[in-house]
Amino acid sequence: MLIKRNAISIGEAVQKVMSDIEKGVTEKVTLVEASDRYLAEDIVANQDVPAFDRSLYDGYAIRSEDTKNATNAYPVELEVVGHIGAGAVFHNGIQPYQAVRIMTGAEMPEGCNAVIMLEHVKELTKFDKDYIAVDRFISEHERVFKKGQEIQKGTYLVEKGTRITPGIIALLATFGYSEVLVGKKPVVGVLATGSELLEIDEPLVPGKIRNSNSYMLMSQIEKVGAQPKYLGKLEDDLDKSFEVIRNELENVDILITTGGVSVGDYDYLPEIYDRLGATVFFNKIAMRPGSVTTVAKLGRQFLFGLSGNPSASFIGFELFVRPVIRTMLNNKEPYLASQKAILENSYPTPNAFAQLIRTKIENHNSTVCATSTGLNMSSSITSLVGADALVVLPPTESGYEKGEIVDILLLSDEGQEDFSVV
Ligand code: AMP
Ligand code: MG
């Protein structure tokens, strides 16, 4: 089937894809299962933290006013009338010039308003009673963590759509969440096309290659927070492929195919979209690699037709599939984070399309430098290894020189959490 293809810019393509995305469904999971899932509810403090005034140190809970005349020369002596560890509560009130021995984290006895550390007092016994000698003024609230000092009840803490990190787990546990509402992982089916493809455990035979894309994509899907579903591979056979795709659409939320989306003799995806009655948003993007990347929708369901070339397929996923999945999970930062970097290589060839170069980024004297990770071809697999960013080179007539400042897209979320802490 002959289709006239108009290349659109990456930005336009992203906009089309992102224009209408249905949020995914939610589910409750136990806190133990919640790591790296995406919150589907805002986290609001249901209590003060701390919930009571707590001692910050092992020491003595005292009344600040009792120490107002204490000096090195004239220490004040306080009678020790009790002893509490963390978790214990001192129920008797205290009188002026009395103290309670207290351990870190224990609730301050009523009437006490400061703590003096064990190592800052002299302990003494007189007539079978214990005393401490305090030789300086201890101001009110000293070494006390006040009720609500860290978090006040009712405070909005984390917005829904945020990935659950260990810190958020701690917060949820503090607030007594044994279960938490998260976005259900969208099921993303991966179907490789191409009569040249072998399974990864098959020996190589002439003319064939192993299906690496499916496994790469499943790893990307998992990393981004969705559930990959391996759907095998298809021979380049229009009718059979159509049947499989039509059936598999019943079992997945999103379908990714690789290969067969170009204009070659055996590229049947365009015809399949047509037969399905899917709406094709675009089938050509002014980018390299991945210019044939196609996105279509059947009802609410996305069909991503990624190139068969590994680097193109990888990039197509990061630019288009990733933000859709993250948006379904309510995440407010669905795109790869971008920043500026200095080119460590030159790209002298003019190019009418934007180029996405797999690079490694390094900090040299607090400037970020982007070095190519290898072969800049859409078929390259090795350049994906060690790549932690994509350099974006807009269309150019003159090329780019080493030392120029360019935009890069970071491939990892690590260290720059997509937090939405309110
Ligand atoms: P296509 O987009 O079908 O024309 O494929 C483009 C190139 O990618 C061809 O050289 C294919 O052999 C290769 N290719 C296609 N599918 C895969 C795959 N699943 N894994 C690795 N390479 C592939
Ligand atoms: Mg093919």
Side-chain angles (χ1 to χ4, degrees):
M1 124 184 247
L2 197 66
I3 309 171
K4 167 114 182 64
R5 297 194 170 191
N6 291 318
I8 61 172
S9 72
I10 297 174
E12 249 181 285
V14 169
Q15 227 172 31
K16 280 182 195 278
V17 171
M18 298 297 283
S19 65
D20 179 26
I21 299 170
E22 198 168 25
K23 296 280 187 280
V25 285
T26 60
E27 63 179 349
K28 282 221 158 180
V29 295
T30 67
L31 202 52
V32 183
E33 300 161 326
S35 283
D36 287 333
R37 300 295 298 269
Y38 287 77
L39 281 171
E41 56 183 324
D42 293 331
I43 304 302
V44 184
N46 57 16
Q47 60 169 75
D48 286 331
V49 178
F52 48 84
D53 291 358
R54 305 173 81 187
S55 172
L56 280 171
Y57 285 90
D58 295 332
Y60 290 89
I62 60 164
R63 294 158 20 101
S64 159
E65 54 270 40
D66 293 342
T67 65
K68 73 173 177 286
N69 298 320
T71 61
N72 209 359
Y74 299 100
V76 62
E77 288 182 2
L78 307 177
E79 182 191 354
V80 180
V81 294
H83 183 176
I84 48 170
V89 178
F90 184 76
H91 290 291
N92 311 328
I94 74 157
Q95 305 298 319
Y97 299 99
Q98 290 187 336
V100 174
R101 191 174 164 95
I102 191 167
M103 298 299 117
T104 307
E107 181 171 350
M108 289 292 287
E110 213 177 314
C112 294
N113 57 13
V115 167
I116 180 163
M117 287 163 70
L118 283 185
E119 31 297 50
H120 293 169
V121 299
K122 207 163 127 199
E123 292 164 342
L124 30 133
T125 307
K126 283 193 214 169
F127 312 112
D128 278 349
K129 284 185 175 177
D130 292 327
Y131 291 84
I132 52 170
V134 180
D135 62 3
R136 68 169 180 88
F137 172 60
I138 308 295
S139 54
E140 209 176 324
H141 307 322
E142 204 171 303
R143 299 200 163 90
V144 176
F145 203 33
K146 298 287 291 172
K147 177 178 190 302
Q149 190 174 331
E150 184 171 353
I151 305 167
Q152 275 169 18
K153 184 176 174 176
T155 309
Y156 267 80
L157 290 164
V158 192
E159 223 179 356
K160 76 173 170 186
T162 304
R163 182 171 55 213
I164 299 177
T165 59
I168 293 176
I169 296 272
L171 201 64
L172 291 165
T174 300
F175 293 138
Y177 284 77
S178 54
E179 290 187 321
V180 60
L181 197 65
V182 296
K184 196 165 191 300
K185 293 182 178 189
V187 176
V188 184
V190 179
L191 195 47
T193 76
S195 298
E196 73 278 33
L197 299 179
L198 296 170
E199 260 315 331
I200 49 172
D201 52 2
E202 288 184 275
L204 279 182
V205 291
K208 306 266 183 183
I209 59 168
R210 294 198 182 95
N211 167 18
S212 59
N213 285 348
S214 292
Y215 295 91
M216 171 188 73
L217 286 163
M218 288 197 290
S219 167
Q220 288 176 282
I221 291 165
E222 184 130 22
K223 215 174 137 203
V224 95
Q227 177 71 53
K229 185 165 188 197
Y230 181 68
L231 301 178
K233 53 191 178 57
L234 294 171
E235 298 281 315
D236 291 318
D237 177 305
L238 176 58
D239 292 328
K240 276 194 207 154
S241 299
F242 171 70
E243 278 309 311
V244 173
I245 289 176
R246 193 178 57 180
N247 291 335
E248 294 296 0
L249 279 172
E250 307 273 315
N251 308 321
V252 297
D253 298 307
I254 292 173
L255 181 70
I256 299 179
T257 54
T258 74
V261 79
S262 189
V263 292
D265 292 346
Y266 303 99
D267 291 331
Y268 293 127
L269 260 301
E271 174 76 33
I272 291 170
Y273 294 133
D274 199 45
R275 281 200 195 177
L276 286 169
T279 307
V280 176
F281 287 174
F282 50 81
N283 53 20
K284 184 132 186 145
I285 307 173
M287 69 175 199
R288 282 194 215 291
S291 65
V292 297
T293 306
T294 299
V295 180
K297 236 172 156 184
L298 185 60
R300 312 294 302 170
Q301 212 169 6
F302 275 98
L303 291 94
F304 292 95
L306 305 183
S307 162
N309 281 305
S311 272
S313 187
F314 177 91
I315 289 170
F317 178 93
E318 294 299 327
L319 295 188
F320 304 106
V321 188
R322 177 192 213 273
V324 168
I325 292 174
R326 286 282 172 93
T327 303
M328 290 173 80
L329 292 167
N330 271 303
N331 187 247
K332 305 282 191 304
E333 308 276 351
Y335 303 110
L336 296 173
S338 90
Q339 66 174 78
K340 298 281 179 197
I342 293 178
L343 283 181
E344 284 289 301
N345 309 83
S346 295
Y347 302 92
T349 323
N351 205 319
F353 284 5
Q355 300 169 74
L356 294 141
I357 320 274
R358 282 73 72 210
T359 53
K360 172 142 209 65
I361 52 169
E362 278 158 337
N363 263 309
H364 293 310
N365 304 324
S366 54
T367 49
V368 181
C369 301
T371 311
S372 161
T373 45
L375 204 58
N376 185 23
M377 288 172 70
S378 65
S379 59
S380 167
I381 294 171
T382 49
S383 65
L384 296 170
V385 181
D388 37 32
L390 299 172
V391 162
V392 185
L393 300 178
T396 172
E397 287 180 1
S398 54
Y400 293 91
E401 292 290 320
K402 176 179 172 163
E404 283 191 54
I405 296 175
V406 292
D407 288 315
I408 61 168
L409 300 171
L410 302 174
L411 291 170
S412 170
D413 285 327
E414 300 302 321
Q416 35 111 30
E417 278 307 336
D418 44 351
F419 255 61
S420 326
V421 178
V422 185

